[in-house]
Amino acid sequence: MTMVDAHVQGGHAITPPTGTARLLAADDPAHAAHLARFGALPGRRGADAVIAELERAGLAGRGGAAFPTWRKLAAAAQSGRSGVIIANGSEGEPLSAKDSTLLHRSPHLVLDGLLLVAAELGAAEAHLVTTSAQLAPIRRAMDQRADAGGIRLHETHDRFVAGEASAVVNGIERGRAIPRDHVVRLTASGLGRRPTLVLNVETLAHIALVLRFGADWFRSIGSSDDPGTRLFTVVRGGERAVVEAAGGTLLSAVLRAGGADPARVRAVLVGGFHGAWVTGDAIDAPMSPAGLAPFGASPGAGILMVLPRGECGLARTAQITAYLAEQSAGQCGPCANGLPEIAEAMGRVGRRDRNSSLPRQLRELTALVTGRGACHHPDGTARMVLSALDAFDHDLRAHARGLCQEAAA
Ligand SMILES: Cc1cc2nc3c(=O)[nH]c(=O)nc-3n(C[C@H](O)[C@H](O)[C@H](O)COP(=O)(O)O)c2cc1C
Ligand code: SF4
């Protein structure tokens, strides 16, 4: 009997979701609807079996870095001490809406994932961090079930870097959500010096489904390098739409599902403010790590920001860079000194300053900050700036002559 067949609740079989609506498959967020759609929590099977199932599933983290989830659980399990599990729903990236949508529409899948991982790893504490808007709905969801009373709920801090894993730990512990150096891994010493596992809320929701319906079901859609589904936030001007799509779906199809017209797209910032610009000629790239690698991009946390035809990518990049420089915790050299210099140079490029050495300066400055911060904020910022220099190469030359191709188009 497969894990899928084994799901019989109150005399009726639970059919696993068959289409791409998995995380968002329940009709409403109430616990009763959740149980009717997905069934009760699966029984305990032990940390080793859980880790093996997640490895077979090939689930990678949905918080941005796409680290294999089974490896993180294995590292936490190896520590051998009762530790801490944190569900990261901070969603510090202002473009993203997928975590808040998931918490709003399917809070019980996230709670299930958190409770399952905590139980299987023998964790002493389970925490959930989210934005102020989600606190009340999550509290309501916790009150609807008898097993969630021990979860500690926290409000995130309104800052881009507040969702970085060590900043999340600092936010809970000290009330200051700033990253710390990663010399000691959180899985060795995190909250209260105990082994701490931080997982994105979408990752936890997938875990809840994999442990119910099995790795084969998880892999039954998606691409071999990006199995299962993922949530995308399609951003067009001031509008954001959250779409659940199979891994490897074409960029154009995800954009269409999010209400954007691919024919009107000049470029897409894939992966959000720490992502990479992909131009309109790559509109049919598969949204998977392998499909996006030729363009220097990756799905990241699933953000797709559309730059419509007629808008200047360099000016938009300058705005984002200024924001990112301002959002750093300013406690490391690359952020305190490097990012403001990069923002200044990028601002001049965006304003069509007739200085043809600015791109070279930007390449030098981005090389100087990369890999030098306590967290990856400088690296992500540098990557986004460099991708703009490549994607908008023609505009770069026009800007150095005081012109803007796109504005003239
Ligand atoms: C500057 C910065 C900001 C981040 N913000 C978030 C965030 O808001 N939410 C999130 O889940 N992960 C965020 N991350 C990634 C986390 O550090 C961590 O890798 C993630 O929560 C782990 O979950 P996953 O393995 O399920 O992806 C951020 C990372 C960096 C470098
Ligand atoms: S690299 Fe920047 S954002 Fe990261 S900890 Fe250092 S100052 Fe803060």
Side-chain angles (χ1 to χ4, degrees), residues 114-323:
L114 179 56
L115 290 167
L116 282 167
V117 173
E120 297 288 11
L121 296 188
E125 286 175 23
H127 298 254
L128 195 155
V129 179
T130 186
T131 54
S132 60
Q134 298 311 318
L135 285 175
I138 288 290
R139 174 66 64 199
R140 249 193 323 275
M142 285 166 59
D143 289 345
Q144 288 169 353
R145 50 199 288 170
D147 54 359
I151 296 174
R152 302 184 201 179
L153 196 54
H154 308 269
E155 182 178 346
T156 187
H157 299 242
D158 187 15
R159 199 170 189 86
F160 186 87
V161 297
E164 192 274 342
S166 65
V168 170
V169 169
N170 273 340
I172 296 175
E173 204 161 48
R174 297 177 206 159
R176 275 198 84 203
I178 55 169
R180 65 183 198 195
D181 70 56
H182 287 209
V183 177
V184 180
R185 283 178 184 274
L186 292 175
T187 44
S189 176
L191 190 63
R193 306 218 172 141
R194 278 162 304 165
T196 299
L197 180 60
V198 180
L199 293 168
N200 173 258
V201 287
E202 183 190 338
T203 311
L204 284 164
H206 283 296
I207 291 176
L209 292 178
V210 170
L211 298 187
R212 275 183 170 89
F213 304 128
D216 290 343
W217 167 83
F218 183 75
R219 300 190 68 89
S220 64
I221 57 175
S223 56
S224 56
D225 69 321
D226 198 23
T229 61
R230 54 169 66 245
L231 297 176
F232 292 96
T233 311
V234 177
V235 186
R236 300 179 290 138
E239 287 180 37
R240 289 182 298 174
V242 174
V243 172
E244 182 172 13
T249 302
L250 301 187
L251 172 55
S252 52
V254 181
L255 292 177
R256 232 177 261 116
D261 176 2
R264 289 193 28 79
V265 169
R266 175 157 193 244
V268 180
L269 183 57
V270 175
F273 287 174
H274 275 180
W277 286 103
V278 166
T279 49
D281 43 344
I283 203 81
D284 284 325
M287 292 299 299
S288 68
L292 289 169
F295 310 101
S298 71
I303 297 155
L304 300 173
M305 191 194 81
V306 171
L307 183 79
R309 293 196 184 282
E311 274 194 30
C312 176
L314 294 171
R316 188 76 185 96
T317 301
Q319 282 173 357
I320 297 170
T321 313
Y323 166 83

Side-chain angles (χ1 to χ4, degrees), residues 64 93 160-161 164 269-277 296 298 317 320-321 324-325 334-335 339 342 366-367 369-388:
E93 160 88 50
F160 186 87
V161 297
E164 192 274 342
L269 183 57
V270 175
F273 287 174
H274 275 180
W277 286 103
S298 71
T317 301
I320 297 170
T321 313
L324 290 173
C335 274
L339 295 193
I342 292 172
T366 49
V369 300
T370 299
R372 300 246 161 78
C375 79
H376 293 301
H377 184 53
D379 311 22
T381 308
R383 183 172 49 237
M384 192 276 300
V385 167
L386 284 174
S387 80

